[in-house]
Amino acid sequence: MLTRRFFCACFTAGFAASLLAPSAHAQTSECAVFTPNRQKQLSPDDAIARLTSGNERFVSGKSINCDLRQQVKDTAKAQAPFAAIIGCMDSRVPPELVFDQRIGDVFCVRIAGNFINTDMIGSLEYATKVVGARAIVVLGHSDCGAVKGAIDDVKLGNLTATLAHIRPAVAATKVQGPANSSNEAFVKAVTEANATMSAAALTQRSQILKELVAAKQLRVVSALHDITTGRVSFLS
């Protein structure tokens, strides 16, 4: 026989779980894969807002669980991601997890130091002009090893050429104190400058992206991920 205490305990636990769990409608909405029609209905501002709300869920521990196997089936024949993210290869900053997105939601281009080169610009032209992504986010992060390496002008095999892409941000950054990786304020400033300059370079070096932005079909922004909190702050 169920005791009154057992019944109350189960009711309390169930009620608390219902408050913490996303509603069935919310799960259905967030777990629905992006189709071309759904993608077109999203404005560039909506795309950024969707990433922002996803990061809020990630930071608060309320990420939505979806049936990923079903999403694999639903995206098997086509994809229509709503955004593209240029991120660092750092294992602590996986864009899909940080923004609480899933299969078919976002394009991700990752390289040490989240810098821009011709290959990445071409990839983003495809993501936006051809496939229709509505936003591009250049995502830097705190305590970035590539940024620190560029600051200290590290020389190591092919890494030397990789870090050279970040050196313009180092040269453009002026803060008090030593201009080396031991100066946390300098590292943070270079990280922000690198993300911001990379975002600006996209429309400077790509006529396709420039025209999409001018037509208000695309937003290009930079952001910084804090590896100690998981929170993403948009810089522009």
Side-chain angles (χ1 to χ4, degrees), residues 120-136:
M120 292 189 175
I121 294 174
S123 297
L124 293 171
E125 289 176 342
Y126 169 78
T128 54
K129 183 67 175 181
V130 179
V131 186
R134 311 293 275 167
I136 297 174

Side-chain angles (χ1 to χ4, degrees), residues 25-49:
H25 174 73
Q27 283 194 342
T28 301
S29 174
E30 293 296 336
C31 292
V33 300
F34 269 84
T35 62
N37 282 338
R38 189 180 178 207
Q39 183 197 62
K40 289 178 183 177
Q41 293 172 1
L42 208 68
S43 72
D45 287 345
D46 291 336
I48 297 298

